[in-house]
């Protein structure tokens, strides 16, 4: 018996020694013999993905990546097989070329790996085929048919501001903006709100759960095999442990309703995004199964609120820190009002397009602090890819972080890190637009950009016209975590309503 247990422990010791030797070999290989060995970056990052994953988990991936580029230059090895690129040719060669997406994107298969949607499809041709069916629903002309319904939701948001202004109470604008963005998304997608803006509070802990899921997914995408076994496993989703919540229940109820409406000859005109998509599914059953439409809707609901909330927060935060910009934007609106524009209770999208300075401020605030903190990752094609004289072998993951490019002095000039909306009127601005990539670039660009722009312009114009806003503590800096989306918080404000 003794010799039997001695035999087992000796085998275990040998197994441990072998595992250790393999790990050392792998580390040495990645560090010194990999084709990327000469690309600079933190030593630990060249050996293990854990270093990058740690910064994603901490929520500071975007600032970490920016600091690394300042230290190491255009190319930084942020993981054994991933190089972050800040070379000015990078956006065109990586994002505007039709390259396969990095494996991380598979994490968007939600609720589990059986569900395929456009962000989780890595192959560019396959993705483009499906995007062609989904995209028409997001044309501005379609979305704007729902503008009166958006106004009803935004009216609830501004009603909340009015109540806080009247009571002189501090307001957590970040939360109210997220509620409104969720409900505008509900209106656009299903022609019904989720009910957050009316309630003025989180329902079913959606925001908190969503942010935990955002953190989990941002990390889990880099550990796909484990994720597939655990959270993205149909056996787990069937238990219902991870699904559910008010938004999911409302989403599926609205979907069933859209499917029923599809067979209803008396269905009203002005179809919602989901009406368009269920019809596209019926017309193209070989490409788009009902489950594919569901997968696309789930991801779209998830992508539509914190992004918009972050962008509007960025606008307000930067504008109140730069009161001359706020005053100039208000002057612009007043002069348009004198000519009969911008008079609706919530400024119409059409009227907001007569405000070039406001547009410049919106673009500048998203340039300074955009909602997407992750590097947008693509894979070097057969034959590899050369950028600025550096060759990357086939299969290397090359990522571009929008925040790095948007504040690069090489791309934007010496004042790249400073607030300056006037840069958007400079003669050479068109040559810089390829470095403004808050919505991504190329074939994978954000499909929700039109909806986001409608919300951003309407809310920004109405806020500047009707309110004065200041932080409760003017010295306070907002806080934020950046996982898949950056979510600022902890900067309560006082609002004052203007007599307009
Ligand atoms: C200011 C607001 C927004 C910003 C800055 C933003 C930004 C982005 C970015 C950077 C991407 C990834 C591009 C890439 O992987 O290369 C993306 C993808 C996506 N966005 Fe947005 N987004 C915003 C609002 C919205 C809204 C309102 C919706 C929905 C109505 C939406 C839906 C999506 C979807 C579904 C994807 C995945 C697209 C795909 O790969 O097929 N986004 N967005």
């Amino acid at each position: 018996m003794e010799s039997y247990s001695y035999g087992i422990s000796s085998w275990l010791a040998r197994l441990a020694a072998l595992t250790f030797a393999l790990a050392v070999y792998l580390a040495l290989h990645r560090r010194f013999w990999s084709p990327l060995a000469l690309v600079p970056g933190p030593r630990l990052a060249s050996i293990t993905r854990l270093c990058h994953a740690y910064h994603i988990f901490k929520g500071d991936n975007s600032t970490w990546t920016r600091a690394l580029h300042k230290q190491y230059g255009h190319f930084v090895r942020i993981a054994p097989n991933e190089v972050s690129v800040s070379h000015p040719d990078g956006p065109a060669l990586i994002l505007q070329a039709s390259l396969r997406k990095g494996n991380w994107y598979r994490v968007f298969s939600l609720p589990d790996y059986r569900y395929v949607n456009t962000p989780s499809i890595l192959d560019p041709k396959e993705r483009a085929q499906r995007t062609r069916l989904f995209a028409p629903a997001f044309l501005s002309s379609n979305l704007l048919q729902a503008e009166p319904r958006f106004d009803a939701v935004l009216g609830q948001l501004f009603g909340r501001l009015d109540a806080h202004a009247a009571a002189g109470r501090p307001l957590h604008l970040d939360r109210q903006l997220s509620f409104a963005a969720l409900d505008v998304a509900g209106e656009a997608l299903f022609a019904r709100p989720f009910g957050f803006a009316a309630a003025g509070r989180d329902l079913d802990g959606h925001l908190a759960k969503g942010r935990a899921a955002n953190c989990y997914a941002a990390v889990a995408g880099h550990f796909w095999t484990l994720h597939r076994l655990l959270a993205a496993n149909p056996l787990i989703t069937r238990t219902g442990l991870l699904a559910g919540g008010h938004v999911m229940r409302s989403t599926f109820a609205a979907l069933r309703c859209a499917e029923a409406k599809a067979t209803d000859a008396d269905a009203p005109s002005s179809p919602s995004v989901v009406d368009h998509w269920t019809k596209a599914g019926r017309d193209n059953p070989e490409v788009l199964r009902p489950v594919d439409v569901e997968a696309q809707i789930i991801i779209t609901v998830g992508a539509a609120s914190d992004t918009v909330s972050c962008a509007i927060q960025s606008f307000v935060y930067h504008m109140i820190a730069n009161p001359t910009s706020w005053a100039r934007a208000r002057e612009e609106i007043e002069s348009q009002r004198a000519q009969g524009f911008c008079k609706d209770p919530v400024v119409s999208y059409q009227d907001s397009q007569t405000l070039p300075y406001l547009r410049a401020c919106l673009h500048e605030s998203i340039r300074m602090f955009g909602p997407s903190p992750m590097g947008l990752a693509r894979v070097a094609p057969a034959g590899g890819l050369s950028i600025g004289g550096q060759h990357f072998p086939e299969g290397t993951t090359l990522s571009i972080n929008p925040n790095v490019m948007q504040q690069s002095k090489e791309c934007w000039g010496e004042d790249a890190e400073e607030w300056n909306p006037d840069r958007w009127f400079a003669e050479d601005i068109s040559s810089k637009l390829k470095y403004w990539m808050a919505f991504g670039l190329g074939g994978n660009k954000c499909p929700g950009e039109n909806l986001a722009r409608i919300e951003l312009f309407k809310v920004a114009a109405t806020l500047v016209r009707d309110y004065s806003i200041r932080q409760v503590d003017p010295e306070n800096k907002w806080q934020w975590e950046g996982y898949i989306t950056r979510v600022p918080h902890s900067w309560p404000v006082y609002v004052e309503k203007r007599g307009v």
Side-chain angles (χ1 to χ4, degrees):
M1 187 68 183
E2 210 173 275
S3 76
Y4 175 70
S5 65
Y6 173 76
I8 290 185
S9 55
S10 128
W11 272 105
L12 282 178
R14 279 183 215 172
L15 194 64
L18 186 66
T19 311
F20 180 71
L22 275 176
V24 170
Y25 171 78
L26 192 65
L28 288 173
H29 185 272
R30 287 175 168 178
R31 180 87 195 100
F32 299 109
W33 307 310
S34 145
L36 300 179
L38 293 180
V39 180
R43 273 195 208 111
L44 191 60
S46 66
I47 293 171
T48 167
R49 171 68 76 176
L50 288 174
C51 180
H52 183 210
Y54 167 73
H55 286 282
I56 298 175
F57 177 73
K58 236 176 113 193
D60 72 355
N61 174 47
S62 54
T63 35
W64 179 67
T65 312
R66 261 183 76 197
L68 290 178
H69 279 289
K70 282 190 177 170
Q71 184 178 351
Y72 295 109
H74 287 142
F75 306 107
V76 182
R77 194 175 176 197
I78 55 169
N81 192 36
E82 180 166 347
V83 175
S84 174
V85 175
S86 70
H87 190 282
D89 294 345
L93 293 172
I94 297 173
L95 297 180
Q96 287 177 314
S98 194
L99 301 183
R100 188 181 172 80
K101 284 192 291 197
N103 287 338
W104 175 83
Y105 281 88
R106 288 179 299 191
V107 78
F108 288 120
S109 282
L110 288 168
D112 62 55
Y113 67 73
R114 295 166 304 166
Y115 289 74
V116 176
N117 48 33
T118 53
S120 69
I121 299 175
L122 306 184
D123 178 70
K125 281 202 189 116
E126 204 188 316
R127 183 190 174 281
Q129 185 191 29
R130 198 174 281 198
T131 300
R132 270 195 290 278
L133 299 176
F134 286 129
F138 275 122
L139 290 173
S140 294
S141 51
N142 277 333
L143 294 170
L144 284 170
Q145 290 181 31
E147 190 170 8
R149 298 203 306 269
F150 299 162
D151 284 354
V153 169
L154 298 178
Q156 289 166 340
L157 165 73
F158 293 120
R160 187 99 23 219
L161 263 67
D162 293 350
H164 278 73
R169 277 200 316 267
L171 175 75
H172 287 280
L173 195 57
D174 56 311
R175 294 173 66 76
Q176 299 304 328
L177 290 172
S178 296
F179 298 151
L182 265 163
D183 279 348
V184 169
E187 288 288 6
L189 293 171
F190 317 115
R192 63 166 81 165
F194 292 109
F196 288 89
R201 62 181 172 82
D202 198 0
L203 300 175
D204 225 1
H206 173 75
L207 287 194
K209 283 186 214 157
R211 284 161 196 183
N214 196 309
C215 173
Y216 169 79
V219 176
H222 290 299
F223 304 96
W224 170 247
T225 313
L226 201 59
H227 170 63
R228 197 182 145 112
L229 270 174
L230 301 173
N233 184 336
L235 290 176
I236 303 287
T237 33
R238 270 190 204 124
T239 64
L241 279 175
L242 299 177
H246 173 71
V247 168
M248 276 298 166
R249 280 196 301 276
S250 310
T251 297
F252 282 109
L255 193 57
R256 298 290 90 87
C257 184
E259 282 163 0
K261 217 163 69 179
T263 54
D264 177 358
D266 300 326
S269 50
S270 176
S272 67
V273 167
V274 168
D275 293 333
H276 279 283
W277 290 354
T278 41
K279 179 173 183 318
R282 283 198 318 281
D283 295 348
N284 303 274
E286 67 299 342
V287 191
L288 219 53
R289 300 160 305 162
V291 73
D292 299 326
V293 174
E294 276 180 27
Q296 194 69 18
I297 289 165
I298 292 170
I299 200 66
T300 305
V301 169
S305 64
D306 278 343
T307 45
V308 174
S309 168
C310 171
I312 302 176
Q313 286 188 64
S314 182
F315 172 80
V316 176
Y317 188 78
H318 288 99
M319 291 290 276
I320 63 178
N322 294 278
T324 45
S325 295
W326 187 282
R328 200 168 140 195
R330 183 176 283 166
E331 235 169 68
E332 181 181 65
I333 295 180
E334 289 305 331
S335 96
Q336 288 306 105
R337 261 160 60 87
Q339 295 177 49
F341 297 101
C342 302
K343 290 196 149 188
D344 297 315
V346 178
V347 175
S348 72
Y349 180 63
Q350 197 181 3
D351 286 1
S352 73
Q353 297 310 292
T354 64
L355 306 168
Y357 186 70
L358 185 93
R359 176 185 296 119
C361 293
L362 273 165
H363 284 166
E364 182 69 350
S365 49
I366 298 174
R367 188 189 70 78
M368 294 288 285
F369 187 97
S372 311
M374 303 285 289
L376 307 176
R378 308 289 181 264
V379 178
L385 189 67
S386 293
I387 308 169
Q390 171 104 23
H391 186 76
F392 298 100
E394 172 179 350
T396 309
T397 301
L398 298 165
S399 55
I400 301 238
N401 192 304
N403 304 286
V404 173
M405 296 310 297
Q406 290 187 170
Q407 295 202 9
S408 152
K409 291 189 178 174
E410 199 176 356
C411 302
W412 293 91
E414 274 310 301
D415 68 347
E417 293 178 6
E418 285 154 36
W419 170 261
N420 175 15
D422 282 318
R423 76 174 77 247
W424 293 91
F425 301 106
E427 263 179 23
D428 63 347
I429 190 64
S430 58
S431 66
K432 294 181 175 167
L433 294 182
K434 60 179 176 288
Y435 307 125
W436 190 85
M437 53 188 68
F439 290 97
L441 279 184
N444 288 292
K445 216 172 166 208
C446 172
E449 180 172 357
N450 288 340
L451 178 61
R453 282 185 180 273
I454 291 171
E455 293 180 71
L456 296 183
F457 276 90
K458 287 172 71 69
V459 173
T462 310
L463 279 176
V464 171
R465 185 193 63 185
D466 293 351
Y467 299 92
S468 295
I469 303 179
R470 66 189 158 90
Q471 277 207 68
V472 170
D473 171 6
E475 302 300 314
N476 178 48
K477 297 249 180 289
W478 64 8
Q479 291 171 35
W480 55 269
E481 287 81 40
Y483 306 119
I484 296 178
T485 306
R486 287 208 274 200
V487 191
H489 56 87
S490 306
W491 61 292
V493 293
Y494 287 120
V495 286
E496 273 170 43
K497 179 96 190 241
R498 288 178 74 223
V500 284

